[in-house]
């Protein structure tokens, strides 16, 4: 499956859009030319990463007492009548199945392609929950959902079908609901930050921009080099609103009938792949943490005509030795330079070069994708070295990403400064009157002048609002420090 | 989440249909009342089994060089124009997405909910395959597909949306294509027979009943106690037919342009869960192999009022000790008898009973679900005993299933005998003129008289056709020994 791959070289910092579009296409992550707008084919490069992240989530879900469930992809239209608020939020984005069979026989009822799980799941929860003994429910589903996006679609970021988990939890008390928001943050932190090396702001969204029908919405925003953010997960305190709309009630220990408290959490696995691409990539292509990379190690033989057979034999031997990793021995007919280009573009974390001299001296040359550092080692130390490198690489790219995030966040001095700093590719932090509805006008003004959004207050950053601070827009007393950024 | 569960007792042998419908419902595997005909909610009991089988398949796919891929759920209508044969087979079963948005705006082109992957995938393969260097392609996808079934729907067996893998492979040569059929059989054997303990007939289907557009179709048929079979997987030799229809060509090593050879393999994971239910279950409910059971071990405290605390403490301690297994410590307020009923119905392979005497003597009572055998052990031997039991249970239920399959297959003496033996709940083996098209009339006659199908010849059974055998229907020389059975 080898093809000649020309060197990839685009400045990520200067031309981020170009860089992203090119790297996604050239590195063989997706095929965007499927023939239906906004529907993208995820190639093995993507899906091997997706499987690893999925396994990480399934392990964390199990650790926290969640169970898998599978609701149908279609939702009967009648289910949409239950929650007006919620539905009005999603109805513009719904695809409808209306007919079936060769002659296109009309269905008795339209079926929506599920835009998100609430309308599919909560009528069942209403039947399943009777007593406090049935609670808590902590169920998750992995799969795709559908949005009739009318804006420009973009692979991973805005697709008409996208890959995610969604968990839908039901509790007896508000306290348990609140605790789930923290558990969801912990899961996100453990996987996205600690394992993928991608730092994020965990932001409480303003009231005017929360999930339709929810009490509060919390999202994980990943800052990019261009100062935009990618929302990779969201958790919602649904309060009792959906329970009232869908009639989810239980009898408590004292025989009192009560409405349940709910949360839902949607980690976007496709967007996590996107954030790996955007955050860690460099001008030569992808850079991936060892644990998630589709190919973890590539072995490249350097052939001079002399002792070729010995080198090739060694290559096969090494591949066998490294079989517990996803290892490729690239003995295609491309030149070593072409092979370097290809595997650097694809973000393979460790490259092993072997030539006749290496074979003779029982040595190997290892090259790190992240630092490009060349490391000469004794062949016998290979496994020790790989195990060391895989940790070092993650720590290094994680640190680089944390520094980027730090450098991107700046405090605005005054209103004009917001627009200026956003233009310079920064995420702006500023005192703000309120993320309750009374602050919406101020946010609208910012949006009008800069097309950026007030993302909200950050829960995982130690922010301190100075006493007597004024809102940077209206001058009223500031209740919060908010982050302002554009959506990528 | 405990509720009182009355004893389940239905004769599986005498009332198989009742038994199946009841056990699926009562054991909490599915919720059939979703509100859209043929669409079923898979509850955690099912999905935990599905995740385990999915992991087994992913491991085998990796062992055999397959890679994951993700094609969209929808297929543009134009893709259906390429392969008439194939399409005519599936068009009656297709759901169509025709509109989107709140006002139901008509889409420019209808989108089919994917009934199977060919029309979604092969246009992309046509672009991706250029040279022999691009081959082989061995890609798989896990997810759901959709069929507008008009017959009575049945959970797991005939659903309008069902869970499966499909792999779509492309080769340079016919020989490689043929070898894939054997690899698919090996994967099925390793997982379904060896790990799930479910034996099957690997049957080459007659020409008139093969997959639309394929050269040959091979299926894994699982025999049930009522003599019907469940088809749990199918593999198709697509030959070059689809390659010609979808223009999948490559330049070989000698610079010659050739059509590719293809196979596809569809293991039905939902049907595998069904076969676990049907094959291993008994009159008290489910019986499951240890490796796939949603709950593997249940610990039940026997409380007499005296030393309750010590017993409960021991229960928690044991659960911790068994944390690498899916273990439940059932300290709900139901009686021990009710708990036995519930967990036997749900097929939990091992039950641990602890009362005050056990705690005092540092002993435990283990009860096997498959044999109901009670085993007294020293507490310190617990892990050794569990590890031994999990193998014994699988071997025992596998052997029982093999014996059942053996006892179900009988040879018919003459034509009348076929109908008689089918009525007695047997699978009939008989000499048959031909599974090429010339035998279709004979198969039609059998179907008319018994509503059973000529399934085909078995590849994984040592069958020997006697010399000079005559077709049991028409009396012409018999070319094959075929299996005749009803579809469940």
């Amino acid at each position: 499956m080898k093809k000649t791959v020309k060197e990839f070289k685009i400045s990520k910092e200067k031309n981020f859009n170009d860089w992203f579009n090119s790297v996604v296409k050239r590195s063989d992550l997706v095929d965007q030319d499927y023939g239906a707008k906004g529907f993208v084919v995820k190639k093995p490069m993507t899906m091997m990463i997706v499987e690893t992240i999925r396994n990480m989530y399934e392990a964390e879900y199990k650790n926290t007492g969640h169970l898998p469930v599978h609701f149908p992809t279609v939702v009967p239209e009648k289910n949409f009548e239950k929650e007006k608020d919620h539905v009005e939020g999603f109805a513009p984005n719904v695809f409808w199945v209306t007919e079936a069979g060769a002659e296109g026989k009309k269905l008795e009822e339209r079926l929506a392609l599920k835009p998100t799980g609430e309308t599919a799941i909560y009528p069942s929860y209403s039947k399943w929950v009777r007593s406090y003994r049935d609670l808590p429910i902590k169920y998750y589903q992995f799969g795709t959902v559908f949005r009739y996006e009318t804006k420009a679609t973009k692979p991973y970021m805005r697709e008409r079908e996208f890959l995610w988990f969604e968990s839908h939890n039901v509790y007896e008390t508000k306290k348990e609901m609140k605790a789930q928001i923290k558990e969801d943050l912990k899961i996100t932190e453990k996987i996205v930050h600690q394992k993928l090396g991608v730092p994020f702001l965990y932001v409480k969204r303003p009231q005017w921009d929360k999930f339709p029908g929810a009490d509060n919405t919390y999202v994980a925003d990943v800052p990019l080099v261009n100062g935009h953010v990618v929302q990779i997960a969201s958790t919602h305190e649904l309060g009792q609103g959906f329970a009232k709309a869908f009639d989810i009630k239980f009898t408590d220990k004292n025989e009192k009938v009560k409405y349940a408290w709910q949360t839902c959490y949607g980690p976007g696995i496709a967007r996590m792949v996107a954030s790996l691409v955007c955050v860690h990539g460099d001008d030569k292509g992808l850079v991936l943490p060892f644990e998630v990379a589709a190919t973890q190690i590539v072995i490249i033989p350097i052939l001079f005509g002399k002792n070729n057979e010995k080198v090739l034999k060694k290559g096969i031997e090494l591949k066998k030795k490294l079989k517990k990793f996803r290892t490729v021995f690239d003995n295609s007919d491309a030149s070593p330079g072409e092979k370097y280009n290809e595997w650097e573009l694809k973000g393979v974390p460790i490259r092993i070069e072997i030539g006749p001299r290496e074979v003779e001296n029982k040595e190997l040359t290892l090259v790190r994708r992240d630092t490009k550092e060349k490391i000469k080692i004794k062949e016998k130390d290979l496994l020790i070295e790989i195990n060391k490198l895989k940790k070092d690489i993650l720590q290094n790219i994680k640190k680089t990403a944390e520094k980027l995030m730090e450098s991107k966040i700046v405090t605005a001095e005054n209103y004009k400064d917001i627009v200026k700093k956003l233009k310079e590719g920064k995420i702006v932090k500023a005192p703000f009157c309120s993320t309750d509805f009374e602050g919406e006008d101020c946010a609208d003004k910012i949006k009008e002048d800069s097309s950026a959004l007030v993302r909200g207050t950050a829960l995982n950053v130690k922010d301190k609002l100075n006493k007597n601070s004024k809102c940077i827009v209206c001058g009223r007393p500031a209740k919060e420090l908010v982050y302002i950024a554009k959506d990528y």
Side-chain angles (χ1 to χ4, degrees), chain A:
Chain A
M1 283 207 241
K2 201 64 54 270
K3 278 171 216 143
T4 303
V5 176
K6 281 185 210 143
E7 195 183 354
F8 183 90
K9 195 137 187 64
I10 297 178
S11 168
K12 181 180 159 191
E13 210 176 328
K14 287 185 192 148
N15 308 299
F16 182 71
N17 261 320
D18 271 7
W19 179 88
F20 177 74
N21 292 331
S22 302
V23 85
V24 164
K25 192 172 172 179
R26 287 272 311 272
S27 63
D28 216 25
L29 285 160
V30 298
D31 184 342
Q32 296 177 66
D33 181 27
Y34 174 66
K37 183 179 149 56
F39 290 90
V40 168
V41 180
K42 306 286 189 312
K43 297 187 80 174
M45 267 282 288
T46 292
M47 289 310 293
M48 288 168 87
I49 300 173
V50 165
E51 275 190 6
T52 307
I53 301 178
R54 182 204 67 195
N55 291 345
M56 289 173 179
Y57 261 93
E58 286 179 354
E60 283 312 313
Y61 275 136
K62 271 172 194 83
N63 276 342
T64 50
H66 288 81
L67 298 175
V69 72
H70 191 279
F71 279 81
T73 299
V74 298
V75 186
E77 186 166 14
K78 60 178 169 294
N79 293 20
F80 281 80
E81 283 152 26
K82 305 237 168 133
E83 222 301 49
K84 275 282 175 190
D85 270 5
H86 178 67
V87 169
E88 276 167 19
F90 280 95
N93 289 323
V94 167
F95 285 97
W96 293 103
V97 181
T98 61
E99 54 194 51
E103 281 90 38
K105 188 174 162 256
K106 277 262 166 292
L107 300 178
E108 279 175 35
E109 183 182 20
R110 292 197 298 177
L111 301 170
L113 294 191
K114 186 165 57 182
T116 168
E118 291 73 14
T119 50
I121 298 171
Y122 297 170
S124 296
Y125 279 6
S126 165
K127 292 181 299 170
W128 299 348
V129 175
R130 286 280 170 266
S131 144
Y132 70 93
R133 289 187 186 85
D134 302 321
L135 298 177
I137 283 182
K138 298 175 86 172
Y139 288 173
Y140 68 88
Q141 177 160 358
F142 179 65
T144 60
V145 288
F146 303 81
R147 306 268 170 93
Y148 179 60
E149 289 285 355
T150 45
K151 282 191 266 181
T153 54
K154 199 181 195 66
Y156 301 120
M157 304 292 188
R158 252 189 320 281
E159 298 178 17
R160 289 186 161 181
E161 176 176 13
F162 61 87
L163 277 163
W164 75 343
F165 273 99
E166 47 181 321
S167 44
H168 291 269
N169 295 6
V170 190
Y171 295 100
E172 286 182 64
T173 64
K174 187 173 178 176
K175 196 176 153 196
E176 289 170 287
M177 174 190 77
K178 289 271 179 194
Q180 187 57 46
I181 303 299
K182 286 192 183 135
E183 186 172 278
D184 293 340
L185 167 60
K186 253 191 207 162
I187 296 173
T188 317
E189 166 68 20
K190 199 162 167 186
I191 294 173
V192 178
H193 189 193
Q194 301 305 330
K195 295 196 166 180
L196 307 185
V198 172
F200 57 87
L201 292 165
Y202 195 60
V203 166
K204 186 179 174 200
R205 300 284 283 129
Q207 284 299 307
W208 57 89
D209 255 353
K210 64 188 183 184
F211 182 71
D215 284 359
N216 286 300
T217 287
Y218 305 83
V219 305
D221 273 348
V222 172
L224 305 184
V225 68
N226 65 352
H228 295 197
V229 293
V230 180
Q231 179 187 313
I232 53 158
S234 55
T235 300
H236 312 290
E237 280 177 9
L238 300 182
Q240 295 180 307
F242 282 82
K244 285 173 185 166
F246 286 94
D247 200 33
I248 305 173
K249 285 190 299 228
F250 66 96
T251 307
D252 76 1
K253 277 175 189 150
N254 305 316
E255 308 260 311
K256 267 182 118 171
V257 176
K258 289 178 173 170
Y259 283 108
W261 296 85
Q262 293 180 266
T263 62
C264 58
Y265 171 41
I269 307 307
R271 289 221 182 149
M272 287 182 193
V273 178
S275 73
L276 284 168
V277 171
C278 293
V279 170
H280 298 315
D282 66 16
D283 297 356
K284 302 199 86 183
L286 301 179
V287 176
L288 293 168
F290 190 88
E291 193 175 352
V292 295
T295 301
Q296 297 175 310
I297 302 169
V298 61
I299 304 165
I300 295 179
I302 318 287
L303 303 174
F304 294 97
K306 226 173 68 180
N307 291 322
N308 279 3
E309 270 177 36
K310 279 189 188 165
V311 174
L312 293 174
K313 208 180 123 196
K314 179 60 73 182
I316 293 164
E317 187 191 316
L318 288 176
K319 188 182 147 119
K320 215 178 268 175
K321 198 169 173 181
L322 296 169
K323 69 170 180 238
K324 71 168 182 158
F325 304 114
R326 293 183 289 274
T327 304
V328 168
F329 172 46
D330 184 353
N331 67 345
S332 67
D333 48 17
S335 73
E338 286 174 328
K339 292 178 188 175
Y340 298 167
N341 289 340
E342 171 169 7
W343 298 107
E344 282 175 357
L345 168 56
K346 290 187 175 170
V348 177
I350 299 172
R351 177 170 88 217
I352 301 178
E353 299 173 1
I354 36 165
R357 211 176 48 206
E358 275 86 359
V359 175
E360 197 160 322
N361 299 341
K362 300 197 171 168
E363 284 177 355
L364 295 169
T365 303
L366 271 48
V367 185
R368 281 173 67 153
R369 173 63 184 90
D370 59 333
T371 59
K372 284 112 188 160
E373 187 189 351
K374 282 201 175 207
I375 307 158
K376 297 237 177 236
I377 62 158
K378 290 279 163 205
E379 197 193 315
K380 64 175 173 48
D381 297 331
L382 180 59
L383 285 175
I384 299 168
E385 197 62 36
I386 298 278
N387 283 318
K388 185 181 160 298
L389 274 181
K390 72 180 189 189
K391 284 180 210 148
D392 285 359
I393 291 170
L394 177 60
Q395 288 317 310
N396 176 52
I397 62 179
K398 177 166 162 272
K399 214 168 169 183
T400 306
E402 285 164 353
K403 274 189 197 153
L404 173 78
M405 175 159 127
E406 226 171 89
S407 76
K408 282 286 139 189
I409 299 170
V410 297
T411 304
E413 300 299 325
N414 52 51
Y415 185 74
K416 254 176 127 179
D417 201 31
I418 298 179
V419 184
K420 182 169 162 274
K421 281 180 170 148
L422 285 167
K423 267 199 186 137
E424 290 166 10
K426 301 291 184 186
I427 293 165
V428 175
K429 186 152 77 166
F432 194 75
C433 50
S434 174
T435 53
D436 279 335
F437 283 106
E438 68 203 62
E440 190 171 6
D441 286 345
C442 291
D444 282 347
K445 184 166 164 48
I446 293 173
K447 195 174 170 189
E448 214 166 279
D449 292 341
S450 68
S451 74
L453 300 177
V454 170
R455 301 296 302 171
T457 52
L459 275 73
N460 62 342
V461 180
K462 279 196 184 122
D463 274 332
K464 218 186 142 209
L465 183 67
N466 287 330
K467 244 188 180 177
N468 304 321
S469 289
K470 305 287 178 207
C471 172
I472 197 158
V473 185
C474 67
R476 287 182 290 179
K479 284 192 204 149
E480 284 142 342
L481 259 180
V482 298
Y483 290 76
I484 302 162
K486 287 185 194 175
D487 240 335
Y488 186 58

